[in-house]
């Protein structure tokens, strides 16, 4: 009986051990953790930490000029479609608080790259000659500088602004450049008075009749006025570029130190960005929907963003100059003229385009060409 008991005990132990071994063999090892960017927020997907086939990506921190808008579609597209990741970059972004603030924060080193204008960068460089900011591309071929009023106000040309009250925030770029516009249209800069308000109140002041006109980026002012109940037929726009101030719009900016240390990262960023921009031009509706879908606040107004993108496509993203030379580039004579005008308007030390812009990081021209009209879908 004892012998039988021992045989049964051995059998039980053998089954227990076998079951444990089989369970261990059939249990999958724990999956490596993944860190993905918050799709509605700000970050491109980073590689799985346990995947040896993927190289570590370089982090690039970007600041926008303002709140995320449809104008940021190329950046969002390149993140969400994985174009930056393909180039070895992990790109994240944060909202801005106006071009001047964006320049200031880029100057502190808080961000690696920024979307802003070189004309504010000129003021920064004038005060920080040993720590300059430069543009490595222009993604807006024309600046959205404008004076906006209502046709009912009887202002049919900039010359009719004499004796009128204009409104704008104190640091507004078009306001700061108004003396140059006044010179071009042969009126005195002192022939108008200015009312200063917070940026969010500018269109409200115009709608309420507290000012006769406002200065600002038409891509910001016009959608707000439409949202406020006006129609395009009600609005009169004076574009600075139609009155002798043919400025470039926002560019992709970096500090000189970052440029020196990270040339390949800049090349990779521009390659992915302009690849995305070509696709935004091809299918702006899809790009708009993608931007809206990534809005965490769920407060983004698609109609307002559609109008904003429409204005940009018509006047800033698709121009004869870009159709000839490709996205991101600049005509140096045109750039030199606008820089000289800014030096005069802002009372800065003289500089040239070479002090503020380089095209050496841009992809080859054939990779930056605007898609032909036959390939462009309408914005719906």
């Amino acid at each position: 009986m004892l012998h039988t008991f021992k045989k049964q005990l051995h059998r039980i132990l053998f089954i227990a051990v076998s079951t444990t071994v089989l369970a261990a063999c059939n249990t999958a090892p724990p999956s490596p953790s993944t860190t993905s960017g918050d799709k509605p927020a700000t970050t491109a997907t980073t590689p799985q930490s346990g995947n040896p086939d993927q190289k570590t990506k370089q982090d690039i921190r970007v600041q926008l000029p303002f709140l995320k808008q449809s104008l940021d579609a190329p950046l969002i597209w390149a993140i969400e479609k994985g174009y930056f990741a393909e180039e070895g970059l992990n790109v994240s972004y944060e909202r801005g608080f106006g071009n001047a603030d964006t320049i200031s924060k880029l100057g502190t080193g808080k961000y690696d790259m920024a979307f802003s204008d070189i004309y504010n960068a000129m003021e920064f460089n004038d005060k920080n000659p040993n720590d300059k900011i430069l543009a490595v591309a222009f993604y807006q071929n024309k600046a959205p500088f404008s004076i906006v009023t209502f046709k009912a106000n009887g202002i049919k040309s900039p010359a009719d602004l004499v004796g009128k009250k204009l409104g704008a925030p104190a640091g507004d770029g078009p306001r700061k450049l108004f003396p140059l516009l006044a010179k071009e249209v042969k009126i005195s800069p002192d022939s108008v008075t200015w009312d200063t308000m917070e940026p969010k109140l500018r269109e409200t002041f115009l709608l309420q009749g507290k000012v006769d006109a406002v200065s600002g980026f038409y891509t910001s002012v016009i959608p707000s006025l439409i949202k406020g109940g006006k129609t395009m037929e009600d609005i009169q726009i004076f574009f600075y570029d139609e009155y002798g101030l043919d400025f470039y719009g926002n560019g992709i900016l970096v500090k000189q130190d970052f440029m020196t240390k990270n040339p390949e990262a800049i090349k990779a960023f521009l390659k992915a960005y302009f690849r995305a921009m070509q696709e935004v031009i091809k299918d702006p509706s899809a790009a708009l929907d993608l931007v809206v879908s990534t809005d965490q606040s769920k407060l983004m107004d698609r109609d307002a963003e559609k109008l904003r993108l429409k204005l940009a496509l018509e006047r800033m993203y698709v121009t004869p100059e870009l159709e000839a030379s490709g996205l991101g580039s600049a005509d140096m004579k045109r750039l030199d003229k606008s820089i000289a005008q800014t030096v005069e308007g802002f009372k800065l030390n003289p500089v040239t385009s070479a002090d503020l812009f380089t095209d050496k990081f841009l992809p080859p021209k054939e990779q930056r060409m605007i898609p032909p009209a036959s390939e462009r879908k309408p914005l719906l």
Side-chain angles (χ1 to χ4, degrees):
M1 184 172 179
L2 180 61
H3 177 70
T4 303
F5 173 78
K6 287 182 178 180
K7 286 180 66 178
Q8 290 176 340
L9 180 61
H10 288 161
R11 183 181 179 189
I12 292 170
L13 289 173
F14 176 78
I15 292 172
V17 171
S18 300
T19 301
T20 301
V21 171
L22 285 172
C25 292
N26 291 325
T27 300
S31 300
S33 61
T34 53
T35 305
S36 10
D38 183 6
K39 182 177 180 182
T42 59
T43 314
T45 303
T46 55
Q48 292 186 343
S49 57
N51 188 342
D53 296 329
Q54 293 191 8
K55 297 180 181 179
T56 301
K57 292 177 172 51
Q58 180 173 348
D59 291 331
I60 299 293
R61 302 159 300 169
V62 179
Q63 188 176 28
L64 307 179
F66 199 59
L67 286 168
K68 181 169 66 176
Q69 301 174 335
S70 55
L71 303 190
D72 302 308
L75 177 72
I76 308 304
W77 190 280
I79 289 174
E80 297 299 329
K81 299 297 183 182
Y83 296 169
F84 287 129
E86 288 180 23
E87 298 300 326
L89 304 178
N90 180 52
V91 176
S92 62
Y93 64 88
E94 292 183 15
R95 65 155 293 178
F97 295 87
N99 277 352
D101 181 75
T102 296
I103 290 290
S104 175
K105 288 176 179 173
L106 178 63
T108 67
K110 183 177 181 180
Y111 299 96
D112 302 309
M113 309 179 87
F115 293 95
S116 190
D117 70 275
I118 62 163
Y119 308 107
N120 277 292
M122 287 172 64
E123 286 194 293
F124 177 90
N125 291 351
D126 201 59
K127 298 173 184 176
N128 302 274
N130 297 319
D131 197 23
K132 293 180 180 178
I133 289 173
L134 295 92
V136 292
F138 289 103
Y139 66 96
Q140 295 177 351
N141 187 249
K142 287 183 176 291
F145 300 162
S146 65
I147 300 291
V148 181
T149 184
F150 298 132
K151 293 176 181 177
N153 291 343
I155 302 173
K156 298 180 180 179
S157 74
D160 296 328
L161 293 169
V162 173
K164 303 297 184 181
K165 181 185 287 188
L166 276 64
D172 178 65
R175 174 176 175 172
K176 292 164 72 175
L177 291 170
F178 181 79
L180 297 180
L181 178 68
K183 178 181 177 182
E184 294 291 333
V185 299
K186 298 179 171 54
I187 64 174
S188 169
D190 299 326
S191 63
V192 305
T193 57
W194 287 92
D195 200 347
T196 302
M197 72 287 295
E198 293 295 321
K200 63 183 179 181
L201 296 176
R202 170 175 24 208
E203 292 79 23
T204 300
F205 272 48
L206 182 58
L207 287 164
Q208 293 178 349
K210 294 181 178 179
V211 296
D212 301 302
V214 297
S215 69
F217 291 6
Y218 57 80
T219 48
S220 295
V221 176
I222 302 305
S224 295
L225 294 178
I226 299 297
K227 194 172 182 179
K230 295 295 182 179
T231 67
M232 289 300 295
E233 289 69 33
D234 297 324
I235 300 170
Q236 177 70 60
I237 312 170
F238 304 121
F239 300 104
Y240 276 37
D241 61 49
E242 294 181 351
Y243 293 93
L245 300 177
D246 195 11
F247 283 51
Y248 281 90
N250 281 355
I252 300 173
L253 310 184
V254 299
K255 289 183 69 175
Q256 197 163 31
D257 182 59
F258 182 85
M259 177 187 294
T260 301
K261 295 177 180 177
N262 299 275
E264 296 307 313
I266 295 173
K267 290 178 182 178
F269 185 95
L270 297 183
K271 180 180 178 181
Y273 182 87
F274 287 112
R275 176 186 173 189
M277 193 166 194
Q278 289 171 320
E279 295 187 9
V280 170
I281 293 172
K282 281 184 178 181
D283 194 351
S285 298
L288 174 60
D289 288 337
L290 181 62
V291 173
V292 173
S293 74
T294 63
D295 173 37
Q296 283 184 310
S297 71
K298 305 305 177 186
L299 297 175
M300 189 175 283
D301 185 324
R302 189 185 189 280
D303 289 338
E305 294 306 324
K306 175 183 174 181
L307 177 57
R308 197 188 318 278
L309 184 57
K310 179 177 182 293
L311 291 168
L313 287 167
E314 291 174 350
R315 294 190 59 87
M316 295 155 57
Y317 291 170
V318 179
T319 68
E321 179 180 320
L322 292 182
E323 289 184 307
S325 61
L327 296 163
S329 61
D331 179 285
M332 291 306 181
K333 288 184 179 179
R334 178 186 160 202
L335 185 59
D336 271 331
K337 181 179 178 181
S338 68
I339 289 171
Q341 289 172 314
T342 306
V343 166
E344 178 185 348
F346 291 0
K347 297 179 173 55
L348 305 174
N349 292 315
V351 291
T352 67
S353 57
D355 297 314
L356 291 159
F357 171 69
T358 177
D359 62 1
K360 67 180 181 180
F361 300 104
L362 286 173
K365 179 179 176 180
E366 60 270 18
Q367 295 180 16
R368 297 181 285 107
M369 296 308 295
I370 291 179
S374 60
E375 295 182 10
R376 301 176 211 160
K377 297 180 179 178
L379 176 57
L380 303 174

